[in-house]
Amino acid sequence: MQDFLSTVKDNHPIAENIYMITLTLPEHIEEIHGGQFVNLATGDNSMLLRRPLGVCKLEGNDLSLCYQIKGKGTKKLTQAKSGDKLKVLLPLGNYFDLSNCKSVAVVGGGVGIFPLIATIRDNNGKDFYSYLGFRNKNAVCLLDEFNSCKKLTVTTDDGSYGERGNAVQAFLKDNPKVDAIISCGPPVMLKALKRELQERSIKIPCFVSLEERMGCGIGACIVCVCKTSNGGNARVCKDGPVFEINKVEL
């Protein structure tokens, strides 16, 4: 984990209310993986807390992160321009470890697709079957990042792009024979995925990346606690954000 002063290389919208910001780091980072995140300063000193953003891709010293405009912090980030300096703490959290897998189902919803992109990039040579869900055609983005997958199914809630439905339904309909499932998306999607896997007695290992409000990002402030299935607590930033789906309450 290191704190860098990065340089904004690019910052532009990729879908409705969604931006990609690319930061040039002062040195190359070898160990950063899909599922991990960074804590990025907004550039406004009045905002003390940094924003946790999942890693989307790393190319040389250029780190790309995607974010949705949700509040003052992310709105401020949209104003960052090429050449600006932003502090970034990285890498944080754990990641999707697919070292023992040859084939993987990818179930992503909305902005949850971004850490899944990084994971696919991490694992060249594996067979990925991807099922992505978006609200509508205006929210669809970065599909070219899934070109290497053995299969890609895109859904929208209103049917304005791809198939009408959601990512979980598309995955269950296809029912690919895979070694593992990885997923990231809104809580309602993850709950549905867990429920369907249990009801259908699907025993494939499934790993999910959780999103919670965070303060420090390093496990000290206990803001991002989630409930575990054994009645305990886990810190999403430090113990996660990637968890085995049956070990956390959704």
Side-chain angles (χ1 to χ4, degrees):
M1 180 175 62
Q2 293 176 271
D3 203 3
F4 291 109
L5 183 62
S6 66
T7 304
V8 176
K9 183 176 182 178
D10 187 37
N11 187 28
H12 67 277
I14 58 173
E16 189 174 54
N17 291 325
I18 300 173
Y19 278 67
M20 174 184 283
I21 186 168
T22 299
L23 309 172
T24 299
L25 304 176
E27 61 184 74
H28 183 62
I29 302 297
E30 293 290 345
E31 293 297 323
I32 187 165
H33 303 287
Q36 291 185 298
F37 67 98
V38 309
N39 252 9
L40 180 64
T42 65
D44 185 339
N45 292 332
S46 69
M47 298 179 184
L48 298 180
L49 294 181
R50 302 186 188 189
R51 268 50 187 178
L53 301 177
V55 172
C56 185
K57 54 185 176 180
L58 179 67
E59 297 173 315
N61 285 25
D62 292 340
L63 175 69
S64 294
L65 313 163
C66 298
Y67 60 97
Q68 185 175 33
I69 303 173
K70 283 196 169 183
K72 292 182 179 179
T74 45
K75 182 65 176 178
K76 178 63 180 177
L77 276 179
T78 67
Q79 300 172 18
K81 59 185 183 300
S82 178
D84 286 353
K85 304 289 185 179
L86 295 177
K87 289 184 177 180
V88 59
L89 183 68
L90 76 155
L92 301 172
N94 61 3
Y95 59 94
F96 290 105
D97 184 359
L98 303 178
S99 55
N100 296 320
C101 302
K102 292 183 178 180
S103 57
V104 181
V106 177
V107 183
V111 296
I113 72 169
F114 305 133
L116 303 176
I117 288 172
T119 304
I120 291 172
R121 282 173 160 258
D122 278 350
N123 292 273
N124 289 328
K126 298 186 187 297
D127 293 334
F128 288 97
Y129 300 81
S130 293
Y131 308 89
L132 310 179
F134 301 91
R135 294 189 313 278
N136 53 50
K137 64 181 181 180
N138 295 326
V140 176
C141 57
L142 300 186
L143 295 186
D144 58 316
E145 291 289 345
F146 296 86
N147 286 341
S148 64
C149 295
K150 297 284 283 188
K151 182 171 185 178
L152 170 61
T153 301
V154 180
T155 68
T156 49
D157 294 344
D158 60 3
S160 57
Y161 189 100
E163 299 180 7
R164 187 185 185 94
N166 61 57
V168 174
Q169 292 170 342
F171 161 70
L172 294 171
K173 178 182 177 181
D174 201 28
N175 192 25
K177 305 305 179 186
V178 294
D179 300 319
I181 305 163
I182 62 173
S183 184
C184 185
V188 65
M189 187 197 83
L190 299 181
K191 288 179 181 178
L193 178 59
K194 183 177 182 178
R195 181 183 67 250
E196 293 291 347
L197 292 177
Q198 291 177 340
E199 291 181 355
R200 296 167 186 251
S201 298
I202 297 175
K203 303 300 183 182
I204 303 170
C206 179
F207 302 92
V208 296
S209 178
L210 303 186
E211 297 177 357
E212 289 286 348
R213 283 188 171 273
M214 294 184 185
C216 68
I218 58 175
C221 68
I222 319 297
V223 168
C224 61
V225 167
C226 69
K227 295 290 185 182
T228 59
S229 299
N230 62 6
N233 296 311
R235 299 162 297 179
V236 172
C237 70
K238 187 72 173 179
D239 303 314
V242 177
F243 296 90
E244 202 282 322
I245 197 169
N246 291 315
K247 292 185 177 180
V248 288
E249 292 186 7
L250 297 171

